[in-house]
Short mmCIF file of all heavy atoms in Angstrom, two decimals:
data_model
loop_
_atom_site.label_atom_id
_atom_site.label_comp_id
_atom_site.label_asym_id
_atom_site.label_seq_id
_atom_site.Cartn_x
_atom_site.Cartn_y
_atom_site.Cartn_z
N GLY E 1 74.20 -7.53 45.83
CA GLY E 1 74.61 -6.15 46.05
C GLY E 1 75.95 -6.06 46.76
O GLY E 1 76.78 -5.20 46.45
N ALA E 2 76.17 -6.96 47.73
CA ALA E 2 77.42 -6.95 48.50
C ALA E 2 78.62 -7.27 47.62
O ALA E 2 79.73 -6.81 47.89
CB ALA E 2 77.33 -7.96 49.65
N LEU E 3 78.38 -8.06 46.57
CA LEU E 3 79.47 -8.40 45.65
C LEU E 3 79.69 -7.30 44.61
O LEU E 3 80.55 -7.43 43.74
CB LEU E 3 79.17 -9.73 44.95
CG LEU E 3 79.27 -10.98 45.84
CD1 LEU E 3 78.72 -12.19 45.12
CD2 LEU E 3 80.71 -11.21 46.26
N GLY E 4 78.87 -6.26 44.68
CA GLY E 4 79.01 -5.16 43.74
C GLY E 4 78.55 -5.55 42.36
O GLY E 4 79.04 -5.02 41.35
N ALA E 5 77.61 -6.49 42.31
CA ALA E 5 77.12 -6.97 41.01
C ALA E 5 76.01 -6.07 40.50
O ALA E 5 74.83 -6.37 40.63
CB ALA E 5 76.62 -8.41 41.15
N THR E 6 76.38 -4.94 39.94
CA THR E 6 75.38 -4.00 39.43
C THR E 6 75.03 -4.27 37.99
O THR E 6 74.10 -3.71 37.45
CB THR E 6 75.92 -2.56 39.54
OG1 THR E 6 77.18 -2.48 38.84
CG2 THR E 6 76.13 -2.18 40.99
N ASN E 7 75.81 -5.17 37.35
CA ASN E 7 75.50 -5.50 35.95
C ASN E 7 74.67 -6.77 35.89
O ASN E 7 74.15 -7.24 36.88
CB ASN E 7 76.79 -5.64 35.13
CG ASN E 7 77.75 -6.62 35.79
OD1 ASN E 7 77.31 -7.54 36.47
ND2 ASN E 7 79.03 -6.40 35.60
N ASN E 8 74.63 -7.38 34.73
CA ASN E 8 73.79 -8.58 34.55
C ASN E 8 74.53 -9.87 34.86
O ASN E 8 74.00 -10.95 34.67
CB ASN E 8 73.27 -8.64 33.10
CG ASN E 8 72.25 -7.56 32.83
OD1 ASN E 8 71.51 -7.18 33.73
ND2 ASN E 8 72.22 -7.06 31.60
N ASN E 9 75.80 -9.74 35.34
CA ASN E 9 76.57 -10.95 35.61
C ASN E 9 75.92 -11.84 36.66
O ASN E 9 76.05 -13.05 36.63
CB ASN E 9 77.99 -10.59 36.07
CG ASN E 9 78.85 -10.10 34.92
OD1 ASN E 9 78.47 -10.26 33.77
ND2 ASN E 9 79.98 -9.50 35.23
N TYR E 10 75.23 -11.19 37.61
CA TYR E 10 74.60 -11.96 38.68
C TYR E 10 73.08 -11.84 38.61
O TYR E 10 72.40 -11.94 39.61
CB TYR E 10 75.08 -11.45 40.05
CG TYR E 10 76.56 -11.61 40.24
CD1 TYR E 10 77.41 -10.54 40.01
CD2 TYR E 10 77.09 -12.82 40.63
CE1 TYR E 10 78.78 -10.68 40.19
CE2 TYR E 10 78.46 -12.97 40.81
CZ TYR E 10 79.29 -11.89 40.59
OH TYR E 10 80.63 -12.04 40.78
N GLN E 11 72.56 -11.61 37.43
CA GLN E 11 71.12 -11.46 37.25
C GLN E 11 70.42 -12.77 37.55
O GLN E 11 70.73 -13.80 36.95
CB GLN E 11 70.80 -11.04 35.81
CG GLN E 11 69.33 -10.80 35.54
CD GLN E 11 68.81 -9.59 36.29
OE1 GLN E 11 69.51 -8.60 36.44
NE2 GLN E 11 67.58 -9.68 36.75
N ARG E 12 69.52 -12.74 38.52
CA ARG E 12 68.79 -13.97 38.82
C ARG E 12 67.82 -14.26 37.70
O ARG E 12 67.06 -13.42 37.27
CB ARG E 12 68.01 -13.84 40.13
CG ARG E 12 67.16 -15.08 40.41
CD ARG E 12 66.30 -14.89 41.61
NE ARG E 12 67.09 -14.90 42.82
CZ ARG E 12 66.57 -14.64 44.01
NH1 ARG E 12 65.31 -14.36 44.13
NH2 ARG E 12 67.32 -14.67 45.08
N GLN E 13 67.86 -15.48 37.24
CA GLN E 13 66.97 -15.90 36.17
C GLN E 13 66.03 -16.96 36.69
O GLN E 13 66.39 -17.76 37.54
CB GLN E 13 67.78 -16.47 34.99
CG GLN E 13 68.77 -15.45 34.42
CD GLN E 13 69.66 -16.08 33.37
OE1 GLN E 13 69.61 -17.27 33.14
NE2 GLN E 13 70.47 -15.26 32.73
N ALA E 14 64.83 -16.96 36.15
CA ALA E 14 63.86 -17.98 36.56
C ALA E 14 64.34 -19.32 36.05
O ALA E 14 64.87 -19.43 34.95
CB ALA E 14 62.49 -17.65 35.95
N PRO E 15 64.22 -20.37 36.85
CA PRO E 15 64.64 -21.69 36.43
C PRO E 15 63.92 -22.12 35.17
O PRO E 15 62.74 -21.79 34.98
CB PRO E 15 64.25 -22.59 37.61
CG PRO E 15 64.15 -21.66 38.76
CD PRO E 15 63.67 -20.37 38.20
N ILE E 16 64.61 -22.83 34.30
CA ILE E 16 64.00 -23.34 33.08
C ILE E 16 63.26 -24.60 33.45
O ILE E 16 63.86 -25.66 33.64
CB ILE E 16 65.07 -23.64 32.02
CG1 ILE E 16 65.87 -22.37 31.73
CG2 ILE E 16 64.44 -24.18 30.75
CD1 ILE E 16 67.06 -22.60 30.82
N VAL E 17 61.97 -24.48 33.60
CA VAL E 17 61.16 -25.60 34.06
C VAL E 17 60.31 -26.14 32.92
O VAL E 17 59.57 -25.38 32.29
CB VAL E 17 60.22 -25.16 35.21
CG1 VAL E 17 59.43 -26.34 35.72
CG2 VAL E 17 61.04 -24.55 36.33
N PRO E 18 60.41 -27.43 32.61
CA PRO E 18 59.60 -28.01 31.54
C PRO E 18 58.12 -27.81 31.81
O PRO E 18 57.68 -27.79 32.95
CB PRO E 18 59.97 -29.51 31.61
CG PRO E 18 61.31 -29.54 32.28
CD PRO E 18 61.31 -28.40 33.24
N SER E 19 57.34 -27.68 30.73
CA SER E 19 55.90 -27.44 30.88
C SER E 19 55.21 -28.59 31.59
O SER E 19 54.17 -28.42 32.21
CB SER E 19 55.27 -27.24 29.50
OG SER E 19 55.50 -28.38 28.68
N ALA E 20 55.79 -29.77 31.51
CA ALA E 20 55.17 -30.94 32.13
C ALA E 20 55.24 -30.91 33.65
O ALA E 20 54.65 -31.74 34.32
CB ALA E 20 55.86 -32.23 31.63
N LEU E 21 55.95 -29.93 34.21
CA LEU E 21 56.09 -29.88 35.66
C LEU E 21 54.77 -29.66 36.36
O LEU E 21 54.62 -29.98 37.53
CB LEU E 21 57.05 -28.75 36.06
CG LEU E 21 58.51 -28.95 35.66
CD1 LEU E 21 59.32 -27.76 36.14
CD2 LEU E 21 59.08 -30.22 36.23
N ALA E 22 53.82 -29.07 35.67
CA ALA E 22 52.56 -28.72 36.32
C ALA E 22 51.68 -29.94 36.56
O ALA E 22 50.71 -29.88 37.29
CB ALA E 22 51.79 -27.72 35.46
N SER E 23 52.01 -31.07 35.94
CA SER E 23 51.16 -32.25 36.08
C SER E 23 51.91 -33.39 36.75
O SER E 23 53.14 -33.46 36.70
CB SER E 23 50.68 -32.72 34.70
OG SER E 23 51.80 -33.00 33.87
N PRO E 24 51.19 -34.32 37.39
CA PRO E 24 51.81 -35.46 38.04
C PRO E 24 52.58 -36.30 37.03
O PRO E 24 52.22 -36.36 35.87
CB PRO E 24 50.62 -36.24 38.62
CG PRO E 24 49.54 -35.23 38.73
CD PRO E 24 49.74 -34.29 37.57
N THR E 25 53.63 -36.97 37.48
CA THR E 25 54.46 -37.76 36.60
C THR E 25 54.27 -39.24 36.86
O THR E 25 54.38 -39.69 38.00
CB THR E 25 55.95 -37.42 36.84
OG1 THR E 25 56.10 -36.02 36.71
CG2 THR E 25 56.83 -38.13 35.85
N PRO E 26 54.00 -40.05 35.82
CA PRO E 26 53.86 -41.48 36.00
C PRO E 26 55.17 -42.08 36.50
O PRO E 26 56.25 -41.62 36.15
CB PRO E 26 53.53 -41.98 34.58
CG PRO E 26 53.03 -40.78 33.85
CD PRO E 26 53.77 -39.62 34.45
#
């Protein structure tokens, strides 16, 4: 808001997380 970002230029997006993140990794 302080940067005056009222458009989508600074739209926070959810990180692209692989589906395998939910399980332990060998």
